[in-house]
Amino acid sequence: MSHFLSRIAKDLTNINLERYWPNFELVAYALYDKTSVFLFNHPKYNNVPPKSYEILKWEEQFVGNTIILFDGYPTAIADMELYNDYEGLFSILVHELFHGNQYIKGEKRFPDEILGTTYPLTKENVEIRNRERKNLYNALLETDISEKKQYLNKFIDLREKRAEGIKEHLTYENLIESVEGPAWYVEIKAFSEKSLLANDLVLKKYGKNLIDVVESTSNIRKSCYSSGLFMCLLLDELSPDWKESFFGTNATLFDLIKRLNIAPRKQAVEDVQISPETEAAVNFAVESKKKEINEFEAQIGTHLFIDGEIIALSFDPMNIVPFEGRLLHKNYIKIKINNQEYLVQQPSLTYCVDGLKSINKLLIVLKDKPLETGDSLLITGIGEIMGQYTIQEDTINLFVN
């Protein structure tokens, strides 16, 4: 993908980004692979000619597609090895740059990620949620304005019905939608601009998660991206200037939808009957989480259990599987042990004490046995961890603190 570097620099300018969102400010950004980082627009490398980049050696900050503080400055990063086409790489970079724009604008609507790991997969909540999402989908695709508003009203009624039982966790959904929905909004605009796909096919590509009952039940956080996106697109239709003041308010996208001048509201939602589709989706979601964690624990290799006080510093909330007090980090986790930081760039299982960040046990399955030093273990790709340890066949228990 390195042959796209000059094209990326040409396409990513403040002027071009403002086609996607008003006053879209361009922060630093970097594309990377396993060995190199190609850094653009960073103030500490201002000797680089315009539309060019600095080549740096890869370091552990560059993991996943996200926004980081690199040398103290917000920097959008994207892994080039995850994409085979320009439109995919370009649009995800625009997505992450928007998170940089949010950082500069002082976005405060970030959710408590702990709520995502304790989200209640009750059948009644899932049933109402699935109906809600179908009405949101239909509201955007409907061309008759009267029917559109009726779908939108039904969406609002269903969501407010859900608030009766899961108010705190529904706030989590509203906030995820309000932070990630606009990022998906600029991403779809960038993708549409660069892709040869017709706009209706692009919308279906991004909207399929909205009405896929199994997928949206299995990954609540990710499913909020598509509902947030569809609310953004509806606001474009019904309140075209909504973006101008979005960073000047604490209102969620759902708040803005409720404020629209739409048709009179109907009566409250009646008691809900659980459909076989919902039964199957909830059972699948629960069993899938259990299966993923069981398969991880059953892997062949050296099972290293680290016991003691461990603090999670950063992780990928999009790729966490929670189940019965355990969290499978499928991508990476950065931790602190004995005031020393370590990056675990492989799947790991954490046993949490209180929330996401306080860990009392961590399981990593190693391909290579660690080097023993007597009072520490030297682990390939992670580093040296001080502590006492016991070894029994392919199981190592390392006690820290």
Side-chain angles (χ1 to χ4, degrees), residues 102-298:
Q102 288 172 319
Y103 180 92
I104 288 174
K105 298 294 196 300
E107 175 64 80
K108 295 292 192 296
R109 283 164 286 206
F110 296 100
D112 179 357
E113 294 292 354
I114 292 175
L115 293 172
T117 66
T118 60
Y119 190 90
L121 283 179
T122 65
K123 291 175 182 176
E124 181 176 359
N125 177 53
V126 171
E127 175 69 33
I128 301 173
R129 189 173 190 264
N130 290 336
R131 296 184 190 184
E132 170 193 304
R133 294 169 71 82
K134 287 175 183 175
N135 277 279
L136 179 60
Y137 183 88
N138 290 335
L140 183 63
L141 270 60
E142 179 59 59
T143 55
D144 181 271
I145 189 63
S146 178
E147 289 294 320
K148 182 185 290 287
K149 289 179 177 180
Q150 290 300 327
Y151 280 127
L152 206 46
N153 260 334
K154 188 67 173 176
F155 162 70
I156 295 170
D157 289 339
L158 288 164
R159 176 157 295 195
E160 292 192 334
K161 171 70 173 176
R162 286 203 298 132
E164 297 171 9
I166 62 157
K167 186 174 182 180
E168 190 178 38
H169 288 89
L170 192 55
T171 297
Y172 169 81
E173 288 185 59
N174 289 336
L175 293 174
I176 288 286
E177 287 170 342
S178 301
V179 171
E180 294 290 354
W184 254 37
Y185 171 88
V186 297
E187 179 184 330
I188 194 175
K189 284 183 169 292
F191 186 90
S192 297
E193 184 180 79
K194 303 302 179 185
S195 174
L196 297 177
L197 285 176
N199 287 340
D200 60 332
L201 295 179
V202 173
L203 186 60
K204 287 181 180 179
K205 166 185 166 68
Y206 278 81
K208 63 183 179 181
N209 179 252
L210 185 62
I211 54 174
D212 186 323
V213 172
V214 172
E215 177 63 25
S216 63
T217 304
S218 299
N219 194 328
I220 295 296
R221 191 184 197 281
K222 182 179 178 182
S223 71
C224 292
Y225 290 28
S226 52
S227 52
L229 165 64
F230 270 56
M231 279 190 268
C232 288
L233 295 171
L234 277 162
L235 286 166
D236 269 359
E237 286 187 27
L238 302 173
S239 181
D241 296 331
W242 71 276
K243 296 186 291 294
E244 298 290 344
S245 60
F246 188 65
F247 287 122
T249 177
N250 290 325
T252 65
L253 290 173
F254 183 60
D255 291 331
L256 299 184
I257 290 289
K258 286 197 297 181
R259 293 173 189 172
L260 293 172
N261 184 21
I262 54 181
R265 302 283 295 281
K266 293 185 177 181
Q267 294 182 353
V269 178
E270 298 177 357
D271 290 340
V272 176
Q273 297 297 315
I274 308 302
S275 68
E277 185 180 36
T278 293
E279 291 269 3
V282 171
N283 291 337
F284 178 84
V286 172
E287 288 303 313
S288 294
K289 294 176 192 298
K290 180 179 178 181
K291 181 182 178 184
E292 277 200 81
I293 288 180
N294 287 343
E295 287 179 348
F296 175 79
E297 292 179 320

Side-chain angles (χ1 to χ4, degrees), residues 283-321:
N283 291 337
F284 178 84
V286 172
E287 288 303 313
S288 294
K289 294 176 192 298
K290 180 179 178 181
K291 181 182 178 184
E292 277 200 81
I293 288 180
N294 287 343
E295 287 179 348
F296 175 79
E297 292 179 320
Q299 282 184 91
I300 296 173
T302 299
H303 287 226
L304 172 64
F305 290 90
I306 305 174
D307 289 85
E309 185 179 336
I310 305 168
I311 304 298
L313 299 175
S314 64
F315 44 81
D316 180 0
M318 273 285 291
N319 287 288
I320 295 177
V321 179

Side-chain angles (χ1 to χ4, degrees), residues 43-60:
K44 291 195 176 180
Y45 296 86
N46 55 12
N47 57 326
V48 176
K51 297 185 180 179
S52 190
Y53 50 86
E54 184 80 11
I55 303 177
L56 308 174
K57 186 178 180 181
W58 179 88
E59 56 183 270
E60 64 180 30

